[in-house]
Each structure stands twice: as C-alpha cells, then as structure tokens.
Amino acid sequence: MSAPQEDLPGARPAPFDLTPPATAVLDTEGVVVGWTEGAEDLLGYPASEVLGTPVAALLAEPLAGSGADRPTGGAQAGLVTVRHRDGHRLSLGVQASRVAVPAGEQRWLVSAVDLGTTPWWGVSRSVLERFLTRSPFGMAVVGTDLRYIWINETLERMAGIPREQRVGRRMGEVLPLLDPASVEAQMRRVLDTGFPVLDFEYHGHTPADPGREHAYSTSFFRLDDAEGRVMGVCSMGVDVTERWRTRERLALLSESGGRIGSTLDIRRTAQELADVAVPRLADFVFVDLLESVLAGEEPAPVPAFGSPPLRRAAQRSLREGCPEAVVSVGELSGYLPSSPIVRGLVEGRAMLEPSLNAAGRPWLGNDVLRAESVRAFGLRSLMVVPVRARGVSLGVAVFVRQQREEPFHHEDLRLAEEFVSRAAVCLDNARRYTRERSATLALQHSLLPHELPVTTTLEVASRYLPARGQDGVGGDWFDVIALSGARTALVVGDVVGHGMNAAATMGRLRTAVHTLANMDLPPDELLARLDDLVIRLIEEETPEGGATATSVLGATCLYAVHDPITQRCTVARAGHLPPAVVTPQGEVTFPVLPAGPPLGLGSMPFEAAELDLAPGSLLVLFTDGLFESRGRDLDASLAVLADALEGPDRSPEQVCDTVLGRLGSNPLSDDLALLVARTHALGPGQVVSWDLRADPAVVSEARALVSGTLTAWGLDELLFTTELIVSELVTNAIRHAVGPVRLRLIRQSALICEVSDGSSTSPRLRHARTTDEGGRGMFLVAQLTRRWGTRYTSTGKIIWSEQTLPASRPAR
C-alpha cells in the first residue's frame, strides 16, 4: 500500500482532469458524509452502507502513520489500495481538496480513479499538456482562418518568436522569410480535403538564426470535434537543416561526377566545374590555372613569394556575361601576393572570407579593380580552394556569393574542397591528355608532308581531316614523291585505327614507300615489297605490343606513277579504292583496276594498270573516310563524288573544297585524306632522244648532239659538265652493256640526262687506285650532278643524272 503524498515538490498528481472520477465527502475525522453514484459504481457500496462510516474501513490495509486515515493540511494526492464490496482489491489514484460549508465546518472532497482500467498518460490533461509543450517536435494549432491558436515551447525556440507575439496572427505576419505562402497553401489543402500532408519540406530564414538558411519538415492534419465540425489544423515539424544540406551536398557531388570531365579538354573541364557550382553552391565561380597547366605541361613550381602566373580558364555567374569578373577567360589574372587566392595557392590550403569588407581586408583595399567590383555588384562572401592533383597545385577555384545574404560557412568550404578535389582529377587527366596529344600531333605533323613538291608536270592540292574525337591524330596519309625522268608518284593510304599507334604505323609505312620509291620500282613491285615489310612487322610484334600489329594489318595503299612524257599513269592498289579520273572536258570515270589484297595478308599478287591521261586531266585519290562519314553505300557515294567532280576549268584547290562540301560531314566518323592532281605534259621542246650505235666512236657524236641541243635551249653554262656526263654514261653502256643504247635529255625543273641499254647490271662507285686506268667514271658523274641513279625497265635499265638549272634559265 502506498502512503499519501502531502504537497511534495515535483510529486506526480493523480489523473483527475480528463476522466470523470468517483467522488466522496469526508469530515475532519475522516467519516464519509457524502457518496456519489460514481463512487458506488467504482467500489460497489451503496450510499446507505457507507455514510457515517470512517473511510479507513474501506481500505484494504490501514495507512501507516498517525492520522493517516484522514486528510490533514492542504490539498493532497496519492495512491491507495481499497477493497471492493465483492472482496477484490483496487489501486486508486486519489486527490483530496479542502472545501468549506455554510456552517463554517471544514469538509474534504475526495476524488478517485481506477488506475487498473484507465492509464494515467491517456487521461491526464496536465500530463498531456506537458508532453505537447516539451515535445522535440515543433507543434502548433491554427484555426480555420489560419491564425495561430497555440504553439509549444519547441516551436517557440525554433522560430525565435515569443508565443504572445504569434498567437492570433498568421504565419506570413511573423515569419515572412520562411516561405509562408507554401506552408499556408498546405494548411488550406488539409482544411479543404481532410487528408493529412506528411513531411512537407520548406526552406527559409527565422529570427532564431537569421544569418543561415534552414530547412524544416512538417506534417499537417485537420482537427474535427465530436460532431465532425472543422476546428483547425495541427502541425508538427522538425528542423532538418543538416539532413537537407547533406542531401544537397551528396546531390552536388553526384552531379559533378556526371558532368565534370565529359571531355579531355582542359578549358572545357574547368568550365564544367564552374557550371555545376552555379547556382547550387555559389553565385559567381571562376577557375584560374597555371599557364603551364593550360599548355599541357607539368605544373610549374608555385613561387613562395610574388604572384604566380595564373590565367583565367573558366567562369560562370548568375548575371549574364559575368560582369563582376575583372578579367576575361584567357587573360592573366594578376593577383596581389597578399590576396587569399595567392596565399591559398602557395600554402596549398582552402581559405574562407565570410565577409568581403574592404575596410577589414587590406589585400582588397590595395586591389582597386576588385574592390570596385565588390562594391558595384555587392559581393558578400568568398571561398578559395586550391586545385590539387597528385599533391601538386594546378590552380585555384574561387566561389563568391553576392545575391544570397547568407555568407559561406565552414561546411560550405568542406563541400567546396571535396567538390574541387574530384574536379582536379579530371583537370589533371585533361592536362596529361593535352601533353600526350601535343606530342602525338607533333609526331603526325612530322610524318605527313609539310609541303607538296612543286613541279611543272603536276598541279597538286590535298586535304586531311581527322575523325571525330581523334583531335587530328589518325592513320590516313598521302604523299607526292618526285621520281627520276620527270615522273611523279602519287600515294594515298589508310591505316586501321586512330591515335598514337596508328600515326606511328602510318609513319613507318610512309617511310617505307619513300625508300622503295627511290629505288624506282614499278607500282606493283613496290606494293609487293611493302606487303613483305608489313608481314615481317606483324611477325616481329610481341604480345605486349600488339597494338601496332592491329594497326598495320589490313592497311590499304594506292600507288600511282605519272609520266609527263608518255602522258600515262601506272597504278596499283592494295585493298584501296580506285581513283577518279576527270577529263579536260569535265567527264568523270572510275577506271577498273586489278584488285589487290590489303597489306599484310600475302594471299594474292599485285597487278598494275596503265591509264592514258590527256594534259589537263584530274587524278583524284581518296580514302574511304570520304564515304563512311555520310552513311551511304559505296555506289551512292561514288555517284555523289562524280557529281562533285564533274565540270571543267577548276583548280585542284577548288575541286578539294567542292568535294569536301558535298561529302565531308562534320564531325567525321573516320579519317579522310584527299589528293587531287592536274596533269601537264612535256612538249617536244623539252625532250629529245637519240638511238646510238654500240661503237666507241659514237661517244663523240653523242657529245656533239648534246652540245647542239643545250645551245638551242640556252643552257651553255651546263655544256661542259653535260658533255662529260654523257661521255661517261655512253662509254659505260657501250663497254659493259648489251643491246641498243639510247640517249635522252629532259629539260624540266632540272636538266635530266638518261642513257638506256639492254643490260640489268647496275654501275657502282669504285675507289680507283692511282695506278688504275679506269673506274673513275661514275665517281665523276656523282661529283658533277645533284643526284644520279638506276631505273630498271622490262628491257634493261636506265642510268640517269640530274643537274640544277641555272637561275637565269628556268624551264619553259
């Protein structure tokens, strides 16, 4: 049995305020003088059995202490155990209050409830009041006019507005910066529909923390009375600022991972960083990088003193055109050494300037342009985050707030650091790619012809376009090679793949073609030897370096030799598309040529074909990228090409522009190489030949023939050397060769002397001893000419030499 509690501080009162209790009246001696129906229902005793009986008789056990069976003093409350009329025990919560009667006597009003059937927390108004008041949720009740009727202490603290200033007023009147329109719209919706709204989130500022934006999650439900009449709306909310900010940070970091680094271009990556940060994190963002980084080089060491060479790589603002920026993209930034931007870069740590007050920021006061920008555009707060990758500083990212009054906090700085650290990896990858790309471009530039040879027999134009995403690095190539006898070789080829390996493979094949061309091999034999070279390259390839084999296997090539004297072009191809021929009248044909296999297969022989090209004809060589970029089939593409080539009186340059305008899509899906040559012939006044007898006496006759021809051509300055050359070559042919001997002089860009015979034995330079009577002829020829060599034919060989024409006697 529990003893009664007499006015004990903090004592828990009995729950009598919400549930109708059983009531009795006692006199000062503890005798029952009043008994209600509620008491009879609770204990089972009718009034006739209880009135006049001491209350102690109803207790299951006597109360401890003197006088404990009757109330004394002021109001009392406690727990007691009584016996029901049928004998079972009941635990009651009782409360006794002193009352006065007209006769002046004192009486006690005793109320009791059965704690076994009615929980105290479900019936006690006072306890419920304390629960609502002390709840960690901000709670409020508004009427149907949306004016506050009641708020708890938690909501009072959350908003920073006293209860008396809030009751009777609407939310927009007391919290205008907390998005009251949206909140009241939800309340109105609940009043109209009766359906609750759960976890409605809104953001804004309150007097409790005016300098920081907060987020709140609130649920609303309608209050109805017992008759179903709408009384108002109850709201329960909690501050979810940290959850909101964490969610925003994670969303920003996730978005940055998907948007930053979409390309390997440094400036575009820096711009993506700025674009993602505005407006999610800042109102104005700019990225300044070291000049060495923008050039793709290793980051230059940041000087400990002075201002490092930073250049604006990207910027973004809520204001169109970034008017608050002091410098434009691409310009040097020019910061003072004392600025937080330079200090952050030098020290390698992030810096926070919560307030941009020139009076309190000496570095800003000394920078007139930036101080004026801060004043003119209301720049409020600034964060500086070094862009660092692999422990090396690449530059800085600067975040500025101007339109939002809330300054940057340290949690914003931590977010910016993580945000920039992820972007720094992309920037460093872009920098390293730029360096590798520059090296690859330099390699390819060195491998492709810088200038095409200028001759009087061919007028040549070319184009090279890389595939999309290859940044100028591919495997297609073209070449124009000057051969002996005023002939010219035209080459076009295609290596599988793109990038460094394709460019390196292209360089190896181009070098091999040059070497074989200098041997004056016929086109079919040249491709056969080039095929043997490719097969050896594949066989020598190691598993670790298989990329080269992939590029070289299946490479294609077309090799054509134009002879301006015979006006013929000999063509052979290795898996390549045939050329197009445009007659002087503008008619287009695609000659049928023997099909050779791609290089490296070694399955079929190569065959050459001869084309008759009238002077003024166009020979058009191209790679398959010209067609694959359009998505058409080959026949349709050839028809479009023929239409673009058709028509007379156009220069090769004009033809190139027309073809690319019709067939060169942008961007290309494959590399494209185009070579256009207009042919010209050597007239009778530039070529002369004689058949000579196999008799030593004919040497003097040959000298006389040459002398007369050179005099007629106005080349008397070359008369002496040419007579010596002809004497040596004709003498060797008569002495060591067989068959008919033929002498030919060609005046083109050089004076060419050719002696042909029926022998396949090639002369060579010898180191003659002082006592030898011969062996010095070819050595003498080599000394008197700029170059000489041997060219084999189907009937023998040709020994040729070239001399430079006098400056005053150009070829006509």
Side-chain angles (χ1 to χ4, degrees):
M1 174 175 168
S2 301
Q5 304 171 5
E6 299 183 2
D7 297 315
L8 298 178
R12 187 181 67 183
F16 301 102
D17 41 11
L18 293 183
T19 301
T23 306
V25 179
L26 307 181
D27 62 13
T28 57
E29 299 300 323
V31 176
V32 179
V33 295
W35 194 255
T36 64
E37 291 183 2
E40 182 178 350
D41 293 338
L42 178 63
L43 298 179
Y45 297 102
S48 59
E49 295 182 14
V50 177
L51 292 176
T53 303
V55 70
L58 302 177
L59 301 178
E61 296 179 3
L63 295 178
S66 176
D69 54 350
R70 62 182 183 273
T72 60
Q76 301 178 35
L79 304 177
V80 297
T81 302
V82 298
R83 189 180 301 279
H84 193 272
R85 190 171 183 270
D86 60 10
H88 73 274
R89 296 188 175 199
L90 297 173
S91 294
L92 303 180
V94 297
Q95 179 174 303
S97 301
R98 191 194 306 265
V99 295
V101 296
E105 298 179 7
Q106 296 293 326
R107 295 287 187 269
W108 291 90
L109 179 65
V110 180
S111 301
V113 294
D114 184 0
L115 296 182
T117 59
T118 306
W120 66 270
W121 49 264
V123 298
S124 176
R125 175 181 172 185
S126 59
V127 173
L128 183 61
E129 181 80 19
R130 281 197 297 274
F131 165 73
L132 295 176
T133 302
R134 299 174 186 177
S135 169
F137 295 92
M139 304 178 68
V141 176
V142 299
T144 55
D145 58 357
L146 302 185
R147 296 185 180 275
Y148 287 103
I149 297 175
W150 174 84
I151 66 172
N152 68 352
E153 294 178 3
T154 303
L155 188 62
E156 188 177 1
R157 290 192 303 269
M158 286 170 58
I161 299 177
R163 185 179 308 177
E164 58 271 14
Q165 296 182 16
R166 197 160 177 176
V167 173
R169 305 173 71 183
R170 294 180 61 162
M171 181 177 180
E173 301 176 47
V174 293
L175 295 170
L177 302 179
L178 200 57
D179 197 8
S182 298
V183 175
E184 290 188 349
Q186 298 301 318
M187 293 180 182
R188 182 63 62 188
R189 174 184 169 189
V190 171
L191 284 173
D192 294 341
T193 65
F195 292 102
V197 172
L198 304 179
D199 295 326
F200 174 71
E201 188 171 305
Y202 53 98
H203 316 116
H205 295 79
T206 65
D209 190 6
R212 187 176 185 225
E213 185 177 13
H214 283 252
Y216 300 93
S217 177
T218 302
S219 298
F220 306 92
F221 56 92
R222 194 172 73 180
L223 299 176
D224 300 339
D225 63 10
E227 286 75 26
R229 290 173 296 189
V230 178
M231 307 299 295
V233 175
C234 181
S235 65
M236 300 178 62
V238 64
D239 190 329
V240 293
T241 302
E242 293 305 319
R243 184 183 73 184
W244 168 61
R245 292 185 182 275
T246 300
R247 186 175 66 243
E248 288 293 305
R249 287 194 293 267
L250 293 176
L252 179 59
L253 292 175
S254 176
E255 183 179 350
S256 68
R259 291 179 56 185
I260 299 177
S262 61
T263 68
L264 289 172
D265 181 84
I266 296 177
R267 287 176 174 80
R268 181 168 179 179
T269 302
Q271 187 62 51
E272 290 170 344
L273 188 158
D275 292 343
V276 173
V278 176
R280 301 281 293 278
L281 182 59
D283 302 329
F284 173 45
V285 174
F286 56 90
V287 181
D288 291 343
L289 299 177
L290 295 170
E291 286 195 283
S292 56
V293 173
L294 287 171
E297 304 169 359
E298 287 294 328
V302 178
F305 303 98
S307 180
L310 289 170
R311 191 173 293 274
R312 184 63 48 86
Q315 57 189 17
R316 176 69 180 273
S317 171
L318 289 177
R319 291 185 170 94
E320 185 177 356
C322 299
E324 60 270 67
V326 175
V327 298
S328 301
V329 173
E331 295 180 349
L332 286 172
S333 300
Y335 299 108
L336 296 176
S338 60
S339 69
I341 297 173
V342 174
R343 289 189 288 113
L345 181 64
V346 172
E347 299 174 15
R349 62 185 181 91
M351 292 195 170
L352 173 63
E353 293 282 349
S355 174
L356 292 178
N357 185 353
R361 302 291 185 271
W363 65 270
L364 189 57
N366 296 329
D367 194 330
V368 178
L369 292 177
R370 290 182 171 85
E372 176 61 23
S373 177
V374 169
R375 184 196 63 78
F377 296 98
L379 309 186
R380 302 175 183 273
S381 185
L382 176 142
M383 294 189 300
V384 177
V385 181
V387 180
R388 294 175 60 84
R390 298 182 295 113
V392 178
S393 294
L394 309 179
V396 291
V398 181
F399 304 82
V400 182
R401 277 187 179 169
Q402 48 186 321
Q403 297 187 9
R404 282 181 282 186
E405 296 184 1
E406 180 181 354
F408 286 119
H409 294 274
H410 287 286
E411 62 183 21
D412 297 316
L413 186 62
R414 290 193 297 269
L415 172 60
E417 286 183 288
E418 186 170 358
F419 174 70
V420 173
S421 67
R422 296 189 178 192
V425 176
C426 299
L427 283 169
D428 190 52
N429 289 339
R431 177 197 63 79
R432 298 170 69 180
Y433 169 77
T434 300
R435 181 184 61 186
E436 298 299 329
R437 174 177 171 270
S438 298
T440 305
L441 285 175
L443 169 64
Q444 186 177 43
H445 182 70
S446 66
L447 296 177
L448 287 173
H450 298 175
E451 294 183 0
L452 299 179
V454 178
T455 69
T456 59
T457 59
L458 281 181
E459 182 184 352
V460 183
S462 63
R463 297 290 187 273
Y464 173 78
L465 297 177
R468 174 183 62 245
Q470 301 307 315
D471 299 308
V473 182
D476 289 14
W477 92 93
F478 59 89
D479 220 331
V480 179
I481 306 170
L483 302 177
S484 63
R487 299 168 307 130
T488 305
L490 301 173
V491 191
V492 66
D494 188 355
V495 170
V496 178
H498 308 282
M500 178 72 80
N501 287 322
T505 302
M506 176 268 289
R508 299 172 78 173
L509 293 182
R510 179 171 179 261
T511 301
V513 169
H514 264 270
T515 302
L516 296 173
N518 286 336
M519 297 172 62
D520 266 325
L521 297 175
D524 52 346
E525 186 175 347
L526 183 144
L527 291 181
R529 296 199 182 189
L530 186 63
D531 185 58
D532 292 339
L533 173 63
V534 169
I535 292 174
R536 286 199 301 273
L537 290 176
I538 297 173
E539 291 175 348
E540 294 171 0
E541 194 70 64
T542 60
E544 293 77 10
T548 301
T550 302
S551 297
V552 73
L553 179 62
T556 65
C557 181
L558 185 145
Y559 186 82
V561 176
H562 173 251
D563 190 335
I565 299 175
T566 64
Q567 300 179 28
R568 287 185 175 181
C569 183
T570 306
V571 185
R573 61 190 182 113
H576 206 86
L577 293 172
V581 176
V582 185
T583 66
Q585 294 75 31
E587 298 178 358
V588 181
T589 60
F590 295 95
V592 178
L593 301 177
L599 298 174
L601 300 182
S603 58
M604 294 175 60
F606 298 97
E607 297 182 51
E610 288 191 345
L611 306 176
D612 292 323
L613 299 179
S617 299
L618 286 177
L619 186 64
V620 182
L621 286 69
F622 46 85
T623 59
D624 57 5
L626 188 65
F627 302 141
E628 293 180 3
S629 60
R630 301 298 297 181
R632 301 187 181 97
D633 59 36
L634 182 58
D635 291 338
S637 297
L638 290 175
V640 176
L641 176 60
D643 184 62
L645 294 174
E646 190 173 16
D649 302 327
R650 285 184 299 169
S651 68
E653 290 287 347
Q654 292 173 328
V655 171
C656 285
D657 292 338
T658 302
V659 170
L660 292 185
R662 297 289 298 276
L663 287 160
S665 65
N666 187 20
L668 298 174
S669 59
D670 193 11
D671 304 329
L672 185 157
L674 178 64
L675 185 63
V676 179
R678 183 179 297 281
T679 64
H680 299 285
L682 292 179
Q686 295 177 275
V687 182
V688 62
S689 61
W690 303 276
D691 291 326
L692 304 178
R693 306 185 313 275
D695 185 349
V698 82
V699 175
S700 61
E701 297 177 8
R703 285 200 300 268
L705 294 172
V706 168
S707 176
T709 301
L710 293 184
T711 300
W713 285 351
L715 298 177
D716 293 333
E717 297 178 29
L718 299 179
L719 184 58
F720 176 72
T721 56
T722 305
E723 287 182 347
L724 288 177
I725 293 170
V726 168
S727 296
E728 292 299 332
L729 295 182
V730 172
T731 299
N732 282 341
I734 293 174
R735 181 179 299 176
H736 302 291
V738 296
V741 177
R742 186 176 180 83
L743 171 63
R744 184 167 71 170
L745 291 182
I746 304 172
R747 179 174 60 91
Q748 191 220 4
S749 57
L751 179 62
I752 303 170
C753 178
E754 295 182 345
V755 175
S756 61
D757 58 54
S759 172
S760 60
T761 302
S762 176
R764 60 186 178 88
L765 294 177
R766 293 175 54 193
H767 295 280
R769 293 171 295 187
T770 57
T771 57
D772 290 344
E773 296 182 359
R776 299 179 179 85
M778 295 311 299
F779 179 78
L780 181 61
V781 171
Q783 295 299 311
L784 296 176
T785 61
R786 69 181 188 184
R787 65 174 188 156
W788 71 279
T790 303
R791 180 170 77 250
Y792 293 94
T793 66
S794 59
T795 59
K797 68 176 182 298
I798 298 174
I799 308 299
W800 57 268
S801 68
E802 291 183 0
Q803 298 178 79
T804 303
L805 293 175
S808 58
R809 297 288 190 275
R812 294 186 295 273

